[in-house]
Each structure stands twice: as structure tokens, then as C-alpha cells.
Amino acid sequence: MPSCFEGYASYAVRDDNSLGRRFEEPRPKARSQFQRDRDRIIHSAAFRRLEYKTQVFVNHEGDLFRTRLTHSIEVAQIGRAIARALSLNDDLTEAVSLAHDLGHTPFGHAGQDALNECMREFGGFEHNLQSLRTVDQLEERYGAFDGLNLMYETREGILKHCSTKNARLLGSLGERFLNNKRPSLEAQICNLADEIAYNNHDIDDGLRSGLITLEQLEEVSLFARHSDQVRKQYPGISGRRLIHETIRHMIDTQVTDLLSESGEAIAKSGVETLTDVHEASVLIAFSPAMQEENRLLKGFLREALYRHYQVLRMTNKARRIIRDLFTAFLEEPRLLPPQYQAYASEDKARAVADYVAGMTDRYAMKEHRRLFAVGEI
Ligand code: MG
């Protein structure tokens, strides 16, 4: 075996303390089990589709905006750095980060809300659960099993939230939500790496789009503090360089804060094993001061960017597209592609939700035209 566990803390997830795969497979020859998981995720169809799914801006609105793919890569980069600095399993953190958004619908949160609404009478739709369903069931790549047959801890990390009702249906993976247990530290890192990534890249994309301005951001303490530092360090700096230097400094401050706060919390908790981690409280966290600054930043982004009228126009349109598609397929499942028709006979609504959720933004728009525009085929 490669010596990839050297240097891991005693409470890190390793191949030899993992609960393993659902279907037994020969061990990988030149990789760890979690490197294999990361590689399987990268080769999946759902991962490639992230390139054409909205983060905030719809894919065709501009070539420089983040998509779910570049977002996931940024989360993985931040997560890996944190995991490595805390002597945790960075391959696991990377795998979970790359997979955390696989179940997202087209058109970001607007799409997810619309699909959840459509599925209300049929068990609902949660994107976290859909990410798990994608890696457990929907991917068709292997002869011996459905899905990617990932390690337990990778699946546990992907299932960030889950309703109590759904947790009861998930067997051992749902138990932690019912018994109030924590996932691995590697999974806890992904949640906050996600937050660091989107808060910072949404500032960047928001400014690039012109929907928010530097003047507005100077009212947000976390941004103002760092742009001040940058101006002092580089007098006369402006434009894109000022923005990027400021964001770079913000990410650095947030990661550094997280590392020192979490390092202390881990030491104080006395955890020694992975089992201890499950029993302990959440140990990966920002300092209270940083939490407050993040809360203010998020509040600003929500009001100024996510609820900007131009963004709302798009999300409103997106909601209608998702609703139209769902309704049309539910009314007439014979309009579905054959592989979805096959299981629509067992669970029509879920088959329709899987099909719609898997669509990219542009594919959903194309399907909408095919179904509703006279003269299109
Ligand atoms: Mg995310």
C-alpha cells in the first residue's frame, strides 16, 4: 500500500478505520480508497454537467462567471488546504467537495426551490439528498453496481443536511441526523470551505457583472478592512487588481481564522479517534468574530446580489421552466427518454424529478422549447 496515511492525525478518516463500500471491491493498487473516490467523481457524467449549471449567473450570461464546476473546484482547493494543515485526510475532503453539488438542479437555488415545490406531494426534493442519489444510484458506469459505490465517509460528507423524515429512510447514513452525531472533520471542513468559496467568488462575480459596486462593498466590514490593507500595501492600486488582492486577502484571513479556531477546538475536545469525532460537538468552525463578519457579508450579498432585480428576473424565469417541464412530463411520462420511462412506471414523480434535476441550464431551456414552442422539434 502507498504510505498515504503517514502524518494523518489519529482522528482522521483512513482506509483502515472506514466503514467501506456498499459493494465489496478489490483494493486499489496504487491509490488510497479516497483517492479512488475522488477519481470516480471526476469521471462521472454528473460532474461534467456541473460546467453548465448555474451558481448565481446562468451559464450563457458570461464566460468569466463561476459555474457549479468552477465553484466545486474552488471548494476542493480551499478544503484540501485546510485538511492538510490540520493533518486530516485531504483526499476525502477533496472528494466530498467535488461531489457536494452534484445533485443541484439547473438554475441554482431557484431551480431547486421550484422542483421541491413540484415534488411536495411526492416526498419533496433536497439537493443534498439528490447528490447522494446521484453517486449511489443514478450514475451508470460500472458492471457490478449502480452509482459510483463510494466509501461510507464520502457519502456521509455529501449528505450535509437531511430532513428527519428522509433520515429515517437512509439506514446507517441517516442515523447521525436522528442521534445528533457529527460527520468526520474532513466533511465538516467541506461545509465551511463551501461558504468561504461562494462568499468570495460571489463578490468577484457580482462586481464583474456590475450588479454590485465597490462603494457598496466598502460598507461591509470584512471587505472594507481588507481593501484598506491592500491600498496601504499598494498605494494607487485600483480596478481588478484591487478587487482580486482584496478577495485573496479575505480568503487567507478566513482560512487562517478557521485553522486556529478549529485547531484549538480539536485540542480542547480531547478527541483521539474517529469515533470520538462523531460523539464530539462540531469542531471545525470560525471564531465568533469571523462568524459575525461572515453573517454581515452574507446578508449584504443576499440583499444586493441574490435579490437584485436582474437576478430575480432570471430566477423567476427559471422557476417557470422547471415547473413547466415537471408538469408536462408528469402528465405524459411517454415524453421522457426511455431510461427514465422504464422506472417511471414504478415512481413517476421521482423519475421526472431525476430527469429534470440532471439537466444543465441550456438543456432545460432546449427541452422547454422542444415541448412548448410550436415549430421546434
Ligand atoms: Mg456549494
Side-chain angles (χ1 to χ4, degrees):
M1 271 305 291
S3 58
C4 40
F5 312 131
E6 271 170 26
Y8 281 178
S10 58
Y11 39 79
V13 175
R14 303 180 307 272
D15 287 11
D16 64 1
N17 65 4
S18 164
L19 294 180
R21 300 182 191 278
R22 292 203 293 173
F23 305 98
E24 215 165 305
E25 293 185 65
R27 298 172 73 89
K29 291 187 196 74
R31 300 172 286 180
S32 74
Q33 297 279 17
F34 293 96
Q35 284 175 306
R36 172 187 263 173
D37 276 10
R38 178 202 53 208
D39 299 348
R40 285 187 174 182
I41 290 159
I42 289 174
H43 286 273
S44 69
F47 185 69
R48 283 194 296 283
R49 284 200 292 260
L50 294 177
E51 183 175 1
Y52 302 104
K53 289 196 180 199
T54 296
Q55 185 65 27
V56 174
F57 297 91
V58 175
N59 177 262
H60 65 259
E61 290 182 303
D63 289 345
L64 290 175
F65 296 127
R66 268 68 174 189
T67 66
R68 289 230 174 256
L69 180 67
T70 60
H71 162 70
S72 301
I73 293 171
E74 289 183 32
V75 176
Q77 180 274 317
I78 293 168
R80 200 172 49 223
I82 296 169
R84 213 169 276 185
L86 293 173
S87 304
L88 294 165
N89 187 339
D90 50 326
D91 294 320
L92 169 57
T93 299
E94 190 176 4
V96 175
S97 300
L98 292 174
H100 83 284
D101 273 352
L102 288 181
H104 258 288
T105 60
F107 311 121
H109 281 280
Q112 124 100 22
D113 292 346
L115 195 52
N116 188 24
E117 195 125 307
C118 294
M119 285 293 287
R120 192 178 287 168
E121 290 166 45
F122 311 102
F125 178 88
E126 294 178 37
H127 65 85
N128 270 296
L129 210 55
Q130 191 69 9
S131 296
L132 185 67
R133 190 169 160 75
T134 305
V135 299
D136 276 357
Q137 280 163 272
L138 299 180
E139 279 290 320
E140 298 177 307
R141 307 191 68 76
Y142 300 94
F145 43 78
D146 287 337
L148 305 179
N149 195 30
L150 300 178
M151 297 290 274
Y152 181 90
E153 293 73 15
T154 310
R155 298 169 57 233
E156 172 194 69
I158 291 171
L159 192 64
K160 185 163 82 173
H161 305 294
C162 166
S163 63
T164 314
K165 195 175 84 203
N166 284 323
R168 291 206 181 91
L169 306 172
L170 286 169
S172 60
L173 212 56
E175 275 170 26
R176 78 176 163 93
F177 299 98
L178 304 172
N179 305 336
N180 191 27
K181 300 260 176 72
R182 251 57 54 199
S184 68
L185 296 176
E186 287 84 348
Q188 293 181 35
I189 289 173
C190 293
N191 293 343
L192 295 186
D194 188 21
E195 194 176 318
I196 295 174
Y198 67 66
N199 279 336
N200 286 288
H201 66 47
D202 287 352
I203 293 176
D204 189 27
D205 284 353
L207 287 168
R208 179 176 290 110
S209 67
L211 299 187
I212 57 176
T213 63
L214 258 183
E215 290 67 36
Q216 282 178 300
L217 272 163
E218 298 291 356
E219 304 291 316
V220 181
S221 67
L222 191 64
F223 188 91
R225 192 150 63 81
H226 289 91
S227 65
D228 270 2
Q229 278 173 16
V230 169
R231 283 196 181 91
K232 274 194 196 111
Q233 198 180 346
Y234 303 103
I237 193 169
S238 65
R240 300 234 60 87
R241 275 182 214 270
L242 170 65
I243 294 163
H244 291 149
E245 277 289 350
T246 303
I247 291 172
R248 188 169 83 88
H249 280 68
M250 283 172 62
I251 294 175
D252 184 61
T253 300
Q254 287 169 311
V255 169
T256 310
D257 179 271
L258 185 79
L259 284 177
S260 72
E261 190 73 13
S262 307
E264 262 175 52
I266 291 168
K268 230 192 268 171
S269 73
V271 294
E272 283 177 8
T273 65
L274 182 55
T275 312
D276 294 344
V277 169
H278 295 314
E279 303 288 339
S281 55
V282 172
L283 296 174
I284 303 294
F286 293 114
S287 66
M290 183 57 74
Q291 277 176 37
E292 178 56 15
E293 283 201 297
N294 275 334
R295 193 183 65 77
L296 294 172
L297 172 59
K298 275 189 195 176
F300 166 77
L301 286 171
R302 191 172 50 241
E303 288 307 316
L305 183 60
Y306 312 142
R307 291 185 188 160
H308 191 286
Y309 82 98
Q310 286 184 33
V311 173
L312 287 182
R313 280 183 184 190
M314 188 59 227
T315 54
N316 192 44
K317 214 186 306 183
R319 219 171 289 137
R320 200 165 320 125
I321 292 175
I322 297 289
R323 270 201 303 260
D324 286 351
L325 290 175
F326 185 87
T327 311
F329 289 122
L330 196 72
E331 267 173 28
E332 187 42 275
R334 282 177 299 180
L335 301 177
L336 288 166
Q339 70 269 34
Y340 292 94
Q341 275 190 40
Y343 73 98
S345 54
E346 295 152 35
D347 188 344
K348 195 165 65 169
R350 191 55 60 185
V352 173
D354 283 343
Y355 181 47
V356 173
M359 292 178 185
T360 60
D361 299 350
R362 60 184 188 176
Y363 187 84
M365 291 187 275
K366 206 167 167 188
E367 275 290 77
H368 194 266
R369 282 197 302 274
R370 282 191 197 120
L371 290 176
F372 293 97
V374 179
E376 287 272 338
I377 44 165

